[in-house]
Amino acid sequence: MAKLQFPDMLLVQQTFDCQTIDDVVQETAKQLDGSGLAALIHPGDTVAITAGSRGICQLPVILKEVVDFFRRQQAKPLIVPAMGSHGGATVEGQLQVLSKLGITPESVGAEIRATMDTVVVAETESGIPVHFDAIAAQADHVFVVNRIKPHTRFTGPIESGLHKMLLIGLGKHAGATIYHQAINDYRFEQILSSVAGEVIRGCRVLGGLAIVENGLDQTALIQAVGANEFAAMEPKLLDKAKQWLPTLPFPDVDLLIVDRIGKNISGTGMDANVIGRKFNDHAGTADDIAHCKRIFVRSLTEETEGNACGIGLAEFTTSACVEQVDHEKTNTNVVTASHPEAGMIPLTYPSDERAITAALKTVGTVAAENAKVIQISDTLHLSTVRMSKAYFERIQSAKHLSILQEAQPFPLNSAGQLKNI
């Protein structure tokens, strides 16, 4: 394959206007103590607390404070994995996912009890069976902990957060499968409200702790919410999450290079809201905030345990990345989500250089050295990026960007491997 003249690249710092909580333990305690939930708990009550598969900032610390709050009420807290089909839809796999996120009995101060078994607790008016984690179903109370953010595929006043944890997380593999299948026949919002309503009414849901993060992947807001407040509170928190969502420096990109993807980064490995592929797996639409002609994925995170969900949103990858893929875990996840395209393997090359060469040949008539190229670590960490010289004048005039390193030759080593951010 003929060599192309790759563009020179600048290292750029991106500034996000957002708030941060300095002490998440103190804020979590404050929220829980002021929630009024303590009055609903009796000594000796068991409380099942959810722990999901996302890389939520300081989640082990937050969960420990939730555990401590219930212990102060003389209750008996326990942690249940709530992550649908992740971890290969096995008990061992889901415990391993939590361990990779730093969530262990020792770190949170409570027993972790995992099962893939569910009980059907109700049926919606449209005939959808409502599955619920069999261990959580036996507890006196259920308490949901999750991050509020835009969903990677669906839109509405409620997207990803407390409601979704009640359905997909606590529904386990059985529930996640049915609900994602139902999305082909019913609106996402309709399924959320009907199933979550049945769960709240029939499964002793006490309340939840909603977390919103800022553009730097830091905790920006923590809100304790009573179960009867979920529907009213989530849309307000989702507005905040959208406001603080990290973005690419500029929306128009010929080639986006993503160093790593994984389930700890996003449900689709890389956040479709950030890369602009929420409504079409391979193109930005008028409703997306970014438009990337081509995407090149270089690797999977260690925490994702081989689950490559989202790799199918890219057009290019390397053989080294494909070797990381656990096809069984990936297939289980994308089939459960009724999104098989997300697991499809892109065009695969033996080196970064070969993949980038192929990608730049498909972005249009622009010469490779003048192409608009952005390299990011992942879609959660966008404060430091590499950008090609085609953006130079726009960078200079952008208040949210500053140059950390002037233009340098494209950072490939002698083996054709690209330097990470």
Side-chain angles (χ1 to χ4, degrees), residues 371-387:
K372 291 176 287 189
V373 180
I374 296 178
Q375 180 187 358
I376 63 175
S377 174
D378 57 62
T379 55
L380 270 183
H381 304 96
L382 294 169
S383 58
T384 303
V385 301
R386 282 199 186 98
M387 304 178 65

Side-chain angles (χ1 to χ4, degrees), residues 3 47 57 68 88 135 152 160 167 181 194 196 204 266-267 285 294 302 325 327 329 366 373 377 381 395 399 413:
K3 281 186 174 291
V47 184
C57 181
D68 289 347
I135 290 174
T152 54
S160 184
L167 275 70
Q181 289 172 343
S194 62
R204 299 176 296 283
S266 172
T285 71
R294 298 288 183 256
E302 179 182 355
V325 177
H327 293 282
K329 289 181 179 178
V366 62
V373 180
S377 174
H381 304 96
I395 294 170
K399 294 181 180 180
N413 64 19

Side-chain angles (χ1 to χ4, degrees), residues 3-11 254-255 257 353 356-357 359-361 363 366-375 386-392 406-412 418:
K3 281 186 174 291
L4 294 183
Q5 180 63 47
F6 290 173
D8 290 346
M9 302 290 284
L10 305 95
L11 192 65
D254 290 324
L255 173 60
I257 300 172
E353 183 177 17
I356 294 166
T357 296
L360 289 176
K361 286 184 174 182
V363 297
V366 62
E369 62 184 306
N370 297 322
K372 291 176 287 189
V373 180
I374 296 178
Q375 180 187 358
R386 282 199 186 98
M387 304 178 65
S388 63
K389 66 178 183 180
Y391 291 107
F392 180 66
E406 296 295 340
Q408 302 287 329
F410 205 85
L412 289 168
L418 182 61

Side-chain angles (χ1 to χ4, degrees), residues 314-341:
E315 289 77 33
F316 299 90
T317 191
T318 64
S319 53
C321 181
V322 174
E323 288 172 5
Q324 292 180 279
V325 177
D326 184 317
H327 293 282
E328 187 64 31
K329 289 181 179 178
T330 304
N331 295 351
T332 298
N333 192 180
V334 300
V335 170
T336 300
S338 292
H339 191 193
E341 300 87 349

